[in-house]
Amino acid sequence: MSQERQNPNRGHGNIPKSTNPYGEIKHVIAVMSGKGGVGKSSVTALLATWLKEKGYRVGILDADITGPSIPKLFGIKGKAKSREGALLPAITVKGIEVMSINLLLDKEDQPVIWRGPIISGVVKQFYEEVDWGDLDFLLVDLPPGTGDAPLTVMQFLPLDGIVVVTSPQELVGLIVRKAIHMAKTMNVPVVGFVENMSYLQCPKCGEVIELFGRSKGKQVEEETGIPFLGSLPLGDEGRIELVHHLYPDFFKPVAERFMEQF
């Protein structure tokens, strides 16, 4: 990955990258999707919990300012605290650090009605002004599409790469290409893509049902040259930090192909 990022302190258009003064963040990985509803935040949470289980220090920056999902996935309540001018991330049961706009609101259902420049500023603050400490991986959960927040993250954050989340429908396959093209335009490496909600396995007979048609992961890999990290089933998102204990192997192929890049 380092060969693809020859100057990590400069972004697209020679824009200086953001820094965090509170510790060393070794790898910054953004998780994005071309459209909503494909389980991008769930994949972010699953990757974070898998990495934590393997002994890595992990944080999640929830950059989906107008539609944050990460606190709910982890069951995080309450407001973030601060110390000496720095915001302190919330800590999940398993020890994953999380910062999200929902941790700064008086009510979790309070809408965030902000224009793009304000959202972009908050995303930068979540990287620069949060005391993340020392992390092996900081995962950035992006809002869907190619708007202000993804653009800000690609321009200003020192990304090591992007994971793209898609689903099997042909339209989504087309949209994921847009996300890949955006990353390439911004000179950000694409680690690979994950096909979520690819199938459902019958709990009684074990039959695999491809609800949205046959997987197009390998086809997209051949067409784009981007590694296909694997497929994930349609499943329950309610106990995200217990998933790897309840189903110890289902995320393993995706995670191992992801770690090959590092």
Side-chain angles (χ1 to χ4, degrees), residues 41-67:
S41 296
S42 297
V43 172
T44 304
L46 287 168
L47 182 56
T49 54
W50 190 89
L51 289 168
K52 187 65 180 177
E53 290 283 340
K54 296 302 178 183
Y56 294 102
R57 298 164 297 181
V58 185
I60 301 177
L61 190 164
D62 189 355
D64 195 347
I65 303 300
T66 59

Side-chain angles (χ1 to χ4, degrees), residues 47-121:
L47 182 56
T49 54
W50 190 89
L51 289 168
K52 187 65 180 177
E53 290 283 340
K54 296 302 178 183
Y56 294 102
R57 298 164 297 181
V58 185
I60 301 177
L61 190 164
D62 189 355
D64 195 347
I65 303 300
T66 59
S69 301
I70 294 298
K72 186 174 181 63
L73 282 170
F74 285 96
I76 299 173
K77 302 283 187 180
K79 297 186 70 174
K81 296 178 172 59
S82 63
R83 181 179 61 207
E84 298 179 357
L87 282 170
L88 300 178
I91 309 296
T92 72
V93 173
K94 297 292 186 179
I96 297 169
E97 300 183 19
V98 172
M99 179 51 64
S100 171
I101 194 66
N102 260 21
L103 303 179
L104 303 177
L105 302 177
D106 293 328
K107 298 179 180 179
E108 66 175 10
D109 61 352
Q110 181 179 335
V112 176
I113 309 172
W114 294 341
R115 294 191 183 275
I118 299 177
I119 291 174
S120 297

Side-chain angles (χ1 to χ4, degrees), residues 10-241:
R10 293 284 167 178
H12 183 73
N14 215 33
I15 298 173
K17 290 291 187 179
S18 296
T19 58
N20 182 279
Y22 302 104
E24 180 188 8
I25 302 174
K26 292 183 179 179
H27 300 294
V28 183
I29 306 295
V31 183
M32 73 179 300
S33 63
K35 67 182 292 293
V38 297
K40 167 189 52 59
S41 296
S42 297
V43 172
T44 304
L46 287 168
L47 182 56
T49 54
W50 190 89
L51 289 168
K52 187 65 180 177
E53 290 283 340
K54 296 302 178 183
Y56 294 102
R57 298 164 297 181
V58 185
I60 301 177
L61 190 164
D62 189 355
D64 195 347
I65 303 300
T66 59
S69 301
I70 294 298
K72 186 174 181 63
L73 282 170
F74 285 96
I76 299 173
K77 302 283 187 180
K79 297 186 70 174
K81 296 178 172 59
S82 63
R83 181 179 61 207
E84 298 179 357
L87 282 170
L88 300 178
I91 309 296
T92 72
V93 173
K94 297 292 186 179
I96 297 169
E97 300 183 19
V98 172
M99 179 51 64
S100 171
I101 194 66
N102 260 21
L103 303 179
L104 303 177
L105 302 177
D106 293 328
K107 298 179 180 179
E108 66 175 10
D109 61 352
Q110 181 179 335
V112 176
I113 309 172
W114 294 341
R115 294 191 183 275
I118 299 177
I119 291 174
S120 297
V122 171
V123 171
K124 284 186 65 182
Q125 284 181 299
F126 279 179
Y127 184 82
E128 298 172 351
E129 299 177 21
V130 172
D131 188 351
W132 293 106
D134 294 331
L135 294 178
D136 295 304
F137 289 93
L138 178 64
L139 305 182
V140 184
D141 185 34
L142 292 174
T146 55
D148 288 307
L151 182 60
T152 296
V153 168
M154 291 187 197
Q155 281 186 319
F156 292 102
L157 268 59
L159 290 180
D160 289 281
I162 286 175
V163 172
V164 180
V165 181
T166 183
S167 63
Q169 299 98 310
E170 188 172 354
L171 175 61
V172 180
L174 172 63
I175 292 173
V176 76
R177 292 180 182 88
K178 292 181 181 289
I180 291 171
H181 291 326
M182 179 185 185
K184 288 183 175 180
T185 300
M186 302 300 295
N187 297 321
V188 178
V190 180
V191 176
F193 69 96
V194 177
E195 188 177 74
N196 195 28
M197 300 185 291
S198 184
Y199 60 92
L200 176 67
Q201 188 165 17
C202 177
K204 292 185 178 180
C205 68
E207 180 186 359
V208 173
I209 305 168
E210 296 175 321
L211 295 171
F212 303 110
R214 185 168 296 177
S215 170
K216 295 181 175 62
K218 286 296 182 182
Q219 176 185 332
V220 175
E221 180 180 55
E222 292 172 2
E223 293 175 357
T224 64
I226 302 301
F228 175 42
L229 301 182
S231 300
L232 294 175
L234 188 68
D236 179 17
E237 303 170 355
R239 294 179 292 173
I240 203 74
E241 289 188 281

